[in-house]
Amino acid sequence: MLKVNDIHTFYGKIEALKGISIEVQEGEIVTLIGANGAGKSTTLKTISGQLAPLHGSIEFLGEAISGMPSHAVTAKHVIQVPEGRRIFPQMSVRENLDMGAFLRNDKEGIAEDLEKVLDLFPRLRERLAQKGGTLSGGEQQMLAIARGMMARPKLLMLDEPSMGLAPVIVDVIFETIKRLNEAGTTILLVEQNAAMALQVAHRGYVLETGSVVLQGGGTELLRNEQVRKTYLGEV
């Protein structure tokens, strides 16, 4: 579904991605793990068109998308749920969800998807008229994911969905990620909670300073000695 080949992305003169290559097959959960500054979020921003790679190529469903503006990438149903949630705080929960369907005009499909995301996140159904900015951190993350699902993603990219959340809410978010995938959504997941990410992922890539240094199945990487010492806190 997604093929990223040897991309080099810069912030000014600083090379943030130094030849990243990853693939995502339809139906998979693929995770990118690594320390702060490893290039995980920059990879997602480059795929989604927020940043343009200086070298390399990105293909989605066989079509070149590298260098496309973000609205054009979004129109191809490559949807990013950004780090920090980035909901619209002054809009109601319902209005935030409507914004997720901004590029759609199939009213029946939108209504159907609205019911699906409210079934997935019952807390949001109870708060449809409430302003997004007044929700708890966990509820805002639920809203951000639900808003992304309203765009009917073919590829859903989640950037640090567990950041700043209580452990019990983290469990809910990861259970939701599994349920979305089981229902047919392909997911590319960036996550600092390496243990949780690798438990749900089919495959993973380990990034260090803008390069892929390890890759393999989720279970395989969980058992990898280097991963266990560096990212799982084991001695």
Side-chain angles (χ1 to χ4, degrees):
M1 176 176 274
L2 177 74
K3 186 173 183 179
V4 175
N5 183 49
D6 193 31
I7 57 171
H8 296 251
T9 300
F10 288 74
Y11 291 105
K13 294 183 178 180
I14 299 171
E15 187 175 18
L17 300 183
K18 304 170 183 176
I20 294 281
S21 296
I22 65 171
E23 291 187 1
V24 180
Q25 305 297 327
E26 187 172 358
E28 284 189 312
I29 299 175
V30 173
T31 188
L32 309 180
I33 65 171
N36 281 334
K40 307 184 301 297
S41 294
T42 302
T43 300
L44 294 196
K45 289 178 180 178
T46 304
I47 294 167
S48 66
Q50 297 173 61
L51 297 170
L54 194 61
H55 303 289
S57 63
I58 305 170
E59 292 183 5
F60 179 68
L61 295 173
E63 180 182 358
I65 63 169
S66 47
M68 276 188 181
S70 55
H71 68 270
V73 177
T74 300
K76 296 185 181 300
H77 300 273
V78 177
I79 305 300
Q80 182 172 350
V81 177
E83 180 182 349
R85 278 112 41 195
R86 303 292 292 275
I87 61 157
F88 299 102
Q90 297 303 316
M91 288 185 177
S92 69
V93 167
R94 175 60 192 268
E95 289 167 337
N96 269 274
L97 294 173
D98 288 343
M99 287 301 294
F102 182 77
L103 293 177
R104 298 173 59 182
N105 54 19
D106 56 321
K107 290 186 179 180
E108 289 185 7
I110 292 171
E112 179 183 318
D113 287 346
L114 178 62
E115 283 304 306
K116 286 181 180 178
V117 299
L118 294 178
D119 286 343
L120 190 65
F121 297 115
R123 292 192 196 187
L124 298 183
R125 188 185 293 277
E126 300 167 3
R127 293 162 170 76
L128 280 174
Q130 189 172 330
K131 285 187 176 182
T134 66
L135 299 178
S136 70
E139 289 164 349
Q140 288 187 20
Q141 186 62 65
M142 294 174 191
L143 179 56
I145 294 173
R147 181 181 62 185
M149 291 304 297
M150 287 299 295
R152 279 205 176 168
K154 294 177 181 176
L155 175 64
L156 182 66
M157 302 194 297
L158 301 173
D159 194 353
E160 302 285 7
S162 77
M163 180 179 287
L165 302 183
V168 65
I169 302 299
V170 172
D171 290 342
V172 171
I173 295 299
F174 274 93
E175 184 58 36
T176 301
I177 290 170
K178 287 197 294 184
R179 288 173 62 189
L180 290 173
N181 180 249
E182 288 165 359
T185 303
T186 304
I187 295 172
L188 178 57
L189 169 66
V190 160
E191 182 55 64
Q192 279 205 310
N193 189 331
M196 293 288 283
L198 292 172
Q199 284 172 27
V200 301
H202 298 93
R203 294 186 301 108
Y205 296 86
V206 180
L207 274 59
E208 289 182 7
T209 58
S211 301
V212 174
V213 294
L214 277 174
Q215 60 179 289
T219 303
E220 176 189 349
L221 289 175
L222 268 175
R223 294 172 178 165
N224 180 278
E225 184 178 355
Q226 180 182 343
V227 171
R228 296 179 77 86
K229 287 181 178 179
T230 307
Y231 302 105
L232 306 184
E234 296 188 7
V235 179

